[in-house]
Amino acid sequence: MAAPRGRQHRGRSTDFPSDRAIRAGLMLSPGEPVREAYEDLVTEMGISGAEVIRLALMEMHRKRREGRTSATNLKEAG
């Protein structure tokens, strides 16, 4: 049985061989708000769907790093 959306599959989601490509599968069903956002970005930016996902991942990663850095700075200052 598949895990609920957004949850990691134990043993599968954390093993990333450094010498192999990663294929991220993404199903966007009709009516999902995320699908509308995806379609808008692809159309408006004129880039591929894969590139939209890459940019979104990098933005999310950057925000998490900044959040961790600011939390560390607050701990050290406090």
Side-chain angles (χ1 to χ4, degrees):
M1 187 161 122
R5 182 178 20 212
R7 303 280 309 272
Q8 288 185 346
H9 290 269
R10 227 172 255 242
R12 294 182 65 186
S13 295
T14 58
D15 183 28
F16 302 110
S18 61
D19 61 334
R20 298 186 63 191
I22 297 171
R23 178 182 297 261
L26 179 65
M27 294 291 291
L28 301 173
S29 300
E32 276 190 82
V34 133
R35 180 176 170 150
E36 185 178 334
Y38 175 83
E39 290 174 355
D40 287 347
L41 289 168
V42 169
T43 304
E44 291 172 10
M45 296 177 76
I47 58 177
S48 71
E51 191 62 21
V52 166
I53 294 168
R54 282 187 188 97
L55 293 172
L57 285 170
M58 293 308 296
E59 180 67 14
M60 182 182 240
H61 185 253
R62 183 186 62 78
K63 285 182 179 180
R64 285 190 51 82
R65 277 190 149 175
E66 287 175 358
R68 279 188 255 147
T69 303
S70 63
T72 303
N73 291 343
L74 287 174
K75 270 186 174 178
E76 291 172 357

